[in-house]
Amino acid sequence: MAHRGIYIEDDDKNIYVVQSLFSQEGFEIVPLPQLPQNIDELYPLILQEDADFLLIDHQLNKKVSYTGYDALQEIRRHDSTIYAVLLTTFKVEDFKEEFGLYDLEVNKAQLNDDDKLSEISEKIHRACVRATDADALANAKESRKFAEDSLKILREIHQKVSKVP
């Protein structure tokens, strides 16, 4: 099963290119149908799309008044665990302080290098697998706790029933 990423981008040409590149790496990239004008409406859209990770363009000023960094800050207010990748045309090193909220910062030119794209894809894939494994472990712990609680209740019932003449 391909990992699913949401691409927050304001340029349709970039969406097509990034979808094509990442699909060759085994990912499904879905753009948001429309960027909301109000940033508070962004996270509910992300939830609807049920993504494993995010690709976020830094400059979204063609369609909205906020940046990709603003978008990520809003998303992080609600979800600190989703893996987020910044895509930018700037030198990433110049913005490390601002971009530190991202898990991975990528200059879009790097996507044209097959080796670099493979490296980026591997990082995203590993992050998605770790998140899936963490969810599975949490579910297993929850199931075990439920089973232990159920067994305790059954033992209590058995003791009470055993005492009935």
Side-chain angles (χ1 to χ4, degrees):
M1 180 171 101
H3 294 294
R4 191 165 199 258
I6 300 299
Y7 189 20
I8 300 173
E9 169 63 82
D10 63 346
D11 186 332
D12 292 339
K13 291 177 283 190
N14 287 342
I15 291 171
Y16 175 76
V17 169
V18 168
Q19 281 179 312
S20 297
L21 290 170
F22 278 94
S23 71
Q24 294 171 21
E25 296 292 320
F27 293 101
E28 177 188 2
I29 303 298
V30 179
L32 287 179
Q34 181 175 339
L35 293 177
Q37 292 302 309
N38 183 346
I39 198 167
D40 295 339
E41 298 169 9
L42 184 61
Y43 185 67
L45 292 175
I46 299 297
L47 283 179
Q48 287 175 1
E49 297 297 334
D50 192 30
D52 298 312
F53 66 98
L54 302 172
L55 298 174
I56 304 175
D57 184 52
H58 175 63
Q59 295 210 233
L60 301 172
N61 57 352
K62 291 178 185 164
K63 295 187 178 177
V64 294
S65 61
Y66 50 88
T67 67
Y69 184 73
D70 297 330
L72 182 59
Q73 284 183 309
E74 175 61 21
I75 293 164
R76 289 284 192 232
R77 282 186 338 101
H78 304 281
D79 185 343
S80 63
T81 62
I82 191 164
Y83 195 78
V85 179
L86 167 74
L87 295 179
T88 184
T89 56
F90 296 113
K91 283 185 175 180
V92 172
E93 299 79 28
D94 295 343
F95 294 92
K96 276 291 187 187
E97 202 169 292
E98 180 181 343
F99 296 157
L101 199 56
Y102 287 90
D103 297 298
L104 180 62
E105 299 90 7
V106 176
N107 184 294
K108 288 180 183 178
Q110 293 175 313
L111 299 178
N112 294 320
D113 178 333
D114 290 340
D115 291 336
K116 190 65 177 174
L117 179 61
S118 291
E119 179 184 322
I120 293 164
S121 296
E122 182 58 31
K123 287 179 181 180
I124 294 170
H125 175 73
R126 280 195 318 266
C128 292
V129 168
R130 278 194 308 266
T132 301
D133 290 348
D135 288 345
L137 180 59
N139 289 337
K141 285 180 180 179
E142 189 175 307
S143 294
R144 181 179 178 166
K145 174 83 170 104
F146 178 77
E148 288 171 350
D149 291 347
S150 297
L151 185 57
K152 181 180 175 184
I153 291 169
L154 288 172
R155 284 182 179 143
E156 289 171 2
I157 292 171
H158 177 70
Q159 285 177 349
K160 288 179 183 180
V161 171
S162 297
K163 293 179 182 178
V164 174

